[in-house]
Amino acid sequence: MKTAFISGISGQDGAYLAQLLLDKGYKVIGGDRRTASGSLWRLEKLNIMNEVEIVDFELAEFTNIMRILEKNDIQEFYNLAAQSFVGASFEMPIMTADITGVSVLRILESIRKINPKIKFYQASTSEMFGKVRETPQNELTPFYPRSPYGISKLFAHWMTINYRESYNLFACSGILFNHESPLRGDEFVTKKVTMGLSKIKLGKQEILELGNLDAKRDWGFAGDYVKAMWLMLQQQNADDYVIATGETHSVKDFINLTAKQIGINLVWEGEKEKIVGIDKEKNKIIIKVNEKFYRPSEVDFLLGDSIKARKILGWEPNVTFEELVGLMTKADYDKLSKE
Ligand code: NAP
Ligand code: GDD
């Protein structure tokens, strides 16, 4: 039985990856940081809470990371923990640089010192492409990050490559494009939309305020994406891979599809920050732009080319954009209608 360690087990990807590895017969140890409220609801949702071993894990604490590696015979280390919200990284750039960026060096150095046989997965991101230099974006596309988050992830990405090349660690970096699910955090735009429109439909909320509706993303399903993480660590050689669907949609497209699936007849009036979404049947404004959700510098457009992963890993996404919106909308609507 292999033992895998997942940092960030309480997050969206941590939960799906834990489920995948348990299904494959792994012993799963999950790193969870100490918070007053506790935050393992996603493991409960997937019914795997009692199947994983939870240990205290803090990215800022070098000694904690070292002790975990000393105490446990780990074969695969998936580093999913991070300050992962781009918007917050502008408010907290130094903390983001330390937690999302420098911490990866703490892990790599611990692996190098304590057990260099451990295979390491780093959660890199399409945010590193930022102001895109070419379309679609692949492993060779130059990076141009646009946020403290993207820059921190780029540091971590190059450190992962550097430790592979300098010390021969089996260290892989998955450049994952946006991936969502019913377990997505509430602050991300997809979840905000599926939850907000569900509440509006159920009469529990009047209006949904959002930021830039024109941004385009390559959105996939998190359950598909964690398979790629595992596949990367099963290869003969460590390498980096772009994971994406190869389709891009705007935030407005996402809203339109959610409204359609939920049965709201949505029409748009106005432009840019003055644009409003109107429920045609009720003749009522239900969506407004609030500039407080704009970012100081935005990533306008992302579209991934995952041919390398498809060829070498045999990976492909199974859930379509329409299905993803449907999954998230149904989950939120059903949950809220019972409350
Ligand atoms: P998520 O839901 O925000 O999960 C982040 C995890 O990191 C949570 O478990 C969080 O714990 C943990 N964490 C935060 N700060 C920590 C600290 N100081 N010490 C220890 N743990 C800490 O993110 P996700 O969507 O699952 O994404 C997983 C990883 O992939 C992240 O690194 C993210 O940046 C990256 N990524 C995500 C996407 C995407 O579209 N989802 C795309 C590319 C890359 P708490 O529960 O205590 O907050
Ligand atoms: N969060 C949020 N809230 N975003 C909004 C809103 C809003 O009210 N209105 C418009 N947006 C726009 C953002 O400006 C951005 O262009 C887009 O919607 C997506 O925002 P997020 O859902 O916050 O995701 P992200 O693309 O910034 O970052 C996610 O994907 C990255 C991969 O590209 C996160 O999961 C990152 O951790 C991940 O690395």
Side-chain angles (χ1 to χ4, degrees):
M1 188 195 261
K2 278 195 205 168
T3 300
F5 180 83
I6 303 175
S7 76
I9 192 130
S10 62
Q12 169 190 259
D13 292 6
Y16 282 114
L17 180 64
Q19 186 180 47
L20 178 88
L21 296 179
L22 288 168
D23 286 349
K24 291 189 181 296
Y26 279 70
K27 174 182 174 189
V28 175
I29 306 176
D32 183 34
R33 67 175 159 163
R34 211 160 248 303
T35 53
S37 54
S39 56
L40 293 167
W41 63 271
R42 290 182 174 94
L43 301 182
E44 271 154 21
K45 267 256 182 275
L46 297 182
N47 259 322
I48 54 172
M49 186 63 213
N50 297 327
E51 293 176 57
V52 299
E53 184 184 326
I54 300 294
V55 298
D56 286 340
F57 178 81
E58 171 52 63
L59 279 171
E61 182 60 63
F62 197 17
T63 65
N64 165 242
I65 299 169
M66 290 200 295
R67 262 190 299 279
I68 288 173
L69 298 193
E70 278 160 0
K71 278 191 198 155
N72 299 283
D73 185 19
I74 293 164
Q75 280 85 53
E76 297 176 11
F77 189 120
Y78 295 87
N79 180 38
L80 309 186
Q83 191 302 93
S84 73
F85 186 37
V86 175
S89 78
F90 289 98
E91 254 327 294
M92 291 173 261
I94 298 169
M95 181 275 267
T96 303
D98 185 49
I99 294 303
T100 303
V102 176
S103 292
V104 178
L105 189 47
R106 296 186 180 105
I107 299 172
L108 287 165
E109 195 50 32
S110 304
I111 291 177
R112 182 170 89 89
K113 280 260 172 326
I114 294 160
N115 181 1
K117 289 207 179 90
I118 291 175
K119 293 183 171 180
F120 176 71
Y121 173 85
Q122 167 58 14
S124 282
T125 165
S126 48
E127 273 291 304
M128 300 186 311
F129 296 123
K131 189 172 178 180
V132 297
R133 306 284 87 192
E134 66 178 5
T135 290
Q137 297 87 50
N138 64 33
E139 294 78 4
L140 300 176
T141 301
F143 298 116
Y144 193 139
R146 294 271 280 171
S147 64
Y149 168 80
I151 295 164
S152 308
K153 281 283 186 182
L154 192 51
F155 172 85
H157 179 71
W158 279 114
M159 273 300 167
T160 303
I161 293 171
N162 186 254
Y163 269 58
R164 179 169 77 219
E165 293 178 353
S166 304
Y167 308 114
N168 207 21
L169 293 192
F170 193 105
C172 300
S173 192
I175 307 174
L176 272 53
F177 281 61
N178 297 52
H179 45 278
E180 321 290 311
S181 74
L183 302 185
R184 188 55 148 151
D186 292 350
E187 66 274 40
F188 300 97
V189 76
T190 53
K191 185 72 171 170
K192 220 175 136 181
V193 169
T194 57
M195 207 157 60
L197 289 186
S198 296
K199 282 188 182 163
I200 288 169
K201 180 72 182 175
L202 289 162
K204 294 174 188 250
Q205 184 174 316
E206 294 288 314
I207 204 151
L208 175 61
E209 291 190 336
L210 296 162
N212 176 12
L213 306 185
D214 297 322
K216 289 186 140 186
R217 291 290 183 275
D218 180 330
W219 276 298
F221 171 56
D224 286 341
Y225 284 43
V226 297
K227 286 182 200 153
M229 299 175 185
W230 176 76
L231 282 167
M232 284 179 218
L233 296 201
Q234 312 315 308
Q235 304 306 303
Q236 197 66 37
N237 300 308
D239 207 346
D240 310 317
Y241 297 88
V242 159
I243 302 298
T245 69
E247 269 183 42
T248 190
H249 301 272
S250 67
V251 172
K252 211 202 264 175
D253 293 337
F254 194 98
I255 299 171
N256 286 334
L257 197 50
T258 307
K260 189 170 158 209
Q261 296 195 357
I262 224 164
I264 295 176
N265 188 354
L266 183 69
V267 291
W268 296 96
E269 270 180 24
E271 273 179 40
K272 302 234 176 241
E273 61 283 350
K274 298 268 179 263
I275 196 167
V276 288
I278 298 169
D279 180 335
K280 209 173 166 203
E281 261 138 49
K282 299 196 171 141
N283 194 26
K284 189 167 171 264
I285 293 177
I286 56 167
I287 298 174
K288 254 185 8 189
V289 169
N290 185 333
E291 290 181 36
K292 87 170 181 201
F293 297 113
Y294 284 178
R295 288 164 187 182
S297 52
E298 174 66 294
V299 172
D300 295 313
F301 176 91
L302 290 173
L303 174 64
D305 166 3
S306 56
I307 285 176
K308 179 175 169 185
R310 289 174 201 239
K311 274 197 187 142
I312 298 177
L313 305 179
W315 177 85
E316 60 178 8
N318 291 318
V319 175
T320 65
F321 179 65
E322 268 210 344
E323 288 166 347
L324 173 66
V325 177
L327 275 175
M328 294 180 71
T329 305
K330 184 171 176 343
D332 284 338
Y333 187 86
D334 288 354
K335 179 172 169 260
L336 288 161
S337 57
K338 285 181 203 130
E339 280 173 3

